[in-house]
Amino acid sequence: MKQTSHDRLLIIDFGSQVTQLIARRLRELNVYCEIHPFNAVTDAFLAEFAPRAVIFSGGPSSVFAEGAPMPPMSVFDLGVPILGICYGQQVMMHCLGGKVERGHGTAEFGRAYVSKGAKPLDWLNGWFLEEREQVWMSHGDHVSALAPGFEVFGTSPHAPFAITADPARNFFAVQFHPEVHHTPNGKTLYQNFVKLAGFKGDWTMDAYRDEAVQRIRDQVGDGKVICALSGGVDSSVAAVLIHEAIGEQLTCVYVDHGLMRKAESEQVVGMFREHYNLPLIHADESELFLGKLEGVSDPETKRKIIGGLFIDVFEKYAKQIGGADFLAQGTLYPDVIESVSFSGGPSVTIKSHHNVGGLPERMNMQLVEPLRELFKDEVRALGRELGLPDSFIGRHPFPGPGLAIRCPGEITRAKLDILREADAVYIDQIRKHGLYDEIWQAFVAILPVRTVGVMGDGRTYDFACALRAVTSVDGMTADYYPFTHEFLGETATRIINEVPGINRVTYDITSKPPGTIEWE
Ligand code: XMP
């Protein structure tokens, strides 16, 4: 639980796939909220958290199941508004004396339309734009009798209790999911809910910046902090924020493994040194990394070598500055939530979200993680607030092992040079066509195959490359980007004309799954 001066909303997680979306909707309304799994929410927790309002998420369980997830009964005595969503509605009815029935034959999944009830309800102000509103349903069991004090304010053909409320206690419960995209006007329900609960909407990145600075000062005191700066958005925003808080007590180390893109190291180091005057060690260790990678073509071995060397190099520079008491990391809120997942353990699907995994244990340092409460777009907003240029904040993600995993087969300096040039032309094309921000990630992979071509009057025997561009929300799943044939043709021509060493260009149209975004 975080120290914050803001009013807080508590989201009790019953295991829905979309609980994070509830938090997103609330943060968009400048309301500070935290998600906690139901089994962590005890009476003592509630007393300490002191929420101004509570939301029960949906979930896959049935209230009839043995050990069904339940909130503590004391939550209903806090005297604050409560909103129950789907399973959250069933829980509310179950706890307060209503009835829930098993969903034989009445399960409902997908789009549905909720019609206005006879009575008005403040919470629904502005929600029904028409006589009926589109919503997204996804439930097996359903409420069959209301708890005392509750009334119906909206129905759908399969959900006679689609919207229910006890207006005297400000308890609201819906069978559908207002947080998802398919409930188009769902934001209004959250807006009305937080207004009714008296939230001031003061969770802004402007205010957050000042608080975070103070918190970093309190945590670090006169200690020393070291930060591995990768040039990615998260570590960059964390570094600039920490620098604002403690100035010269922070040292950043930019480990240059020789696997960066064209001009990338100069840009990153230049920006932080000149614009931010941030104490920064440019650790040019490309000889070391490329030397150890010589002759290696197995993808996992490459990753292990790079990861291991990264830690060695980082430790070397930490020693050089006389050690540090704290290690700064750009951990984000989704990583934090996943680590206390509903199932009680870290989710198997998360991937390591930074490139310094393994450092904290080995170096025995405390962590400074000033972005732990933020979602990615909030980090971007904070970055803007701190003056990082838009072009930097909007950059596509770049993996820790860099170009190594875009060079299948053996890595050579010559291939890396060709790859850097081809990638620069490709990204230039994407920017020129105004497509950069529509794409989650775009890059070139140089293939371990040479093919025959003809240029002018001569035969060529050069490398083939693959262009990759995907759309995605979080990198977990992805689709290839549908470039026009004109764009692809023009880009291929430019690469072949401008990049010696490449004579064939292909476009990778694999989605994820079954492919992955990177080639290794
Ligand atoms: P894949 O290839 O697994 O990539 O579909 C998903 C996203 O993760 C990035 N990626 C990494 N990022 N260190 C990172 O910081 C890594 O080792 C790493 N491997 C993959 C990849 O660029 C894509 O955005």
Side-chain angles (χ1 to χ4, degrees):
M1 205 185 306
K2 284 284 157 194
Q3 296 303 317
T4 167
S5 59
H6 299 275
D7 288 331
R8 300 193 276 202
L9 190 148
L10 171 64
I11 300 169
I12 303 184
D13 186 18
F14 292 109
S16 163
Q17 297 288 324
V18 290
T19 303
Q20 276 201 36
L21 286 180
I22 305 176
R24 291 291 321 114
R25 296 289 95 85
L26 293 162
R27 296 282 182 97
E28 280 160 22
L29 296 167
N30 301 329
V31 167
Y32 183 75
C33 59
E34 287 183 24
I35 299 174
H36 291 272
F38 76 94
N39 47 6
V41 180
T42 57
D43 292 347
F45 175 94
L46 278 178
E48 197 191 332
F49 193 96
R52 180 172 272 281
V54 179
I55 293 181
F56 296 169
S57 84
S61 313
S62 166
V63 292
F64 301 108
E66 203 177 316
M70 289 290 153
M73 284 305 285
S74 60
V75 73
F76 299 105
D77 300 324
L78 292 173
V80 302
I82 303 179
L83 168 61
I85 293 166
C86 197
Y87 178 78
Q89 179 191 44
Q90 294 158 20
V91 159
M92 209 190 267
M93 291 306 146
H94 182 81
C95 291
L96 296 175
K99 246 173 106 179
V100 178
E101 272 180 26
R102 284 185 195 279
H104 304 301
T106 55
E108 210 181 357
F109 298 96
R111 189 175 288 124
Y113 292 90
V114 171
S115 304
K116 243 184 193 170
K119 274 181 137 182
L121 178 68
D122 281 353
W123 179 52
L124 297 176
N125 279 347
W127 187 61
F128 280 108
L129 297 178
E130 317 262 339
E131 278 307 296
R132 49 177 222 157
E133 243 332 290
Q134 182 186 314
V135 300
W136 190 255
M137 295 276 190
S138 175
H139 63 100
D141 298 345
H142 62 274
V143 172
S144 62
L146 292 174
F150 278 80
E151 293 175 73
V152 176
F153 293 90
T155 58
S156 80
H158 294 286
F161 299 105
I163 303 176
T164 60
D166 175 347
R169 288 190 284 179
N170 276 334
F171 290 171
F172 308 97
V174 290
Q175 185 63 82
F176 56 89
H177 288 270
E179 64 277 16
V180 303
H181 179 68
H182 303 282
T183 301
N185 201 12
K187 190 172 173 183
T188 307
L189 295 180
Y190 288 110
Q191 210 159 17
N192 290 352
F193 182 68
V194 298
K195 195 168 150 205
L196 206 138
F199 281 93
K200 291 191 281 290
D202 55 2
W203 172 254
T204 59
M205 283 307 108
D206 175 23
Y208 181 78
R209 172 186 185 168
D210 296 340
E211 281 171 32
V213 160
Q214 192 51 50
R215 254 187 285 157
I216 294 165
R217 285 184 187 146
D218 292 345
Q219 185 191 359
V220 171
D222 54 12
K224 282 207 296 197
V225 181
I226 192 163
C227 175
L229 191 68
S230 67
V233 175
D234 305 339
S235 67
S236 301
V237 172
V240 174
L241 185 66
I242 296 171
H243 183 242
E244 179 162 299
I246 58 167
E248 304 278 310
Q249 286 164 258
L250 169 72
T251 304
C252 292
V253 181
Y254 174 79
V255 178
D256 186 347
H257 46 24
L259 298 158
M260 305 307 279
R261 289 165 292 189
K262 189 177 175 181
E264 183 155 27
S265 296
E266 294 77 10
Q267 277 165 12
V268 172
V269 171
M271 181 173 89
F272 284 104
R273 281 217 181 118
E274 281 147 37
H275 195 65
Y276 286 99
N277 201 17
L278 202 138
L280 175 62
I281 297 173
H282 180 176
D284 183 355
E285 296 285 350
S286 48
E287 292 296 324
L288 173 70
F289 280 82
L290 297 182
K292 293 270 191 225
L293 286 168
E294 226 171 86
V296 178
S297 46
D298 176 63
E300 270 316 293
T301 314
K302 282 183 191 171
R303 280 177 176 273
K304 289 211 176 90
I305 290 172
I306 295 168
L309 286 178
F310 191 94
I311 295 179
D312 293 346
V313 165
F314 193 74
E315 278 185 325
K316 175 177 121 184
Y317 287 92
K319 275 206 197 96
Q320 207 174 70
I321 61 158
D325 314 287
F326 297 89
L327 176 72
Q329 287 194 338
T331 313
L332 305 190
Y333 193 44
D335 307 316
V336 178
I337 304 172
E338 279 175 293
S339 66
V340 286
S341 72
F342 174 72
S343 53
S347 149
V348 285
T349 48
I350 43 172
K351 86 184 136 284
S352 55
H353 51 85
H354 47 70
N355 309 316
V356 288
L359 271 179
E361 300 93 71
R362 187 157 143 187
M363 296 182 79
N364 194 23
M365 290 194 287
Q366 284 187 57
L367 290 177
V368 184
E369 299 179 301
L371 312 180
R372 268 179 80 85
E373 294 141 299
L374 306 185
F375 286 97
K376 187 85 181 181
D377 47 352
E378 291 176 314
V379 172
R380 294 207 169 99
L382 179 60
R384 275 186 210 103
E385 187 63 42
L386 290 163
L388 283 161
D390 266 345
S391 58
F392 185 81
I393 284 167
R395 289 200 322 168
H396 292 169
F398 186 64
L403 299 182
I405 58 176
R406 297 176 179 177
C407 188
E410 196 181 332
I411 298 167
T412 64
R413 281 163 218 264
K415 275 161 83 178
L416 288 174
D417 286 340
I418 297 171
L419 176 54
R420 273 190 267 270
E421 291 303 322
D423 193 77
V425 173
Y426 181 42
I427 298 299
D428 181 56
Q429 276 287 101
I430 289 175
R431 285 204 189 273
K432 275 199 176 126
H433 284 256
L435 303 174
Y436 191 84
D437 294 338
E438 280 179 38
I439 294 170
W440 160 267
Q441 204 169 10
F443 58 86
V444 175
I446 183 162
L447 306 185
V449 52
R450 296 212 282 168
T451 71
V452 174
V454 53
M455 247 181 135
D457 290 330
R459 174 189 189 268
T460 58
Y461 186 54
D462 285 332
F463 286 107
C465 74
L467 312 181
R468 185 81 163 129
V470 295
T471 54
S472 176
V473 179
D474 51 12
M476 306 295 259
T477 60
D479 245 329
Y480 75 89
Y481 185 80
F483 287 124
T484 61
H485 283 280
E486 289 73 19
F487 174 89
L488 289 170
E490 192 183 300
T491 306
T493 305
R494 270 197 66 189
I495 290 177
I496 291 168
N497 284 339
E498 295 175 32
V499 184
I502 289 190
N503 68 353
R504 193 173 296 267
V505 176
T506 64
Y507 186 45
D508 176 1
I509 56 165
T510 319
S511 62
K512 174 184 179 178
T516 54
I517 296 175
E518 302 288 349
W519 273 53
E520 288 191 339

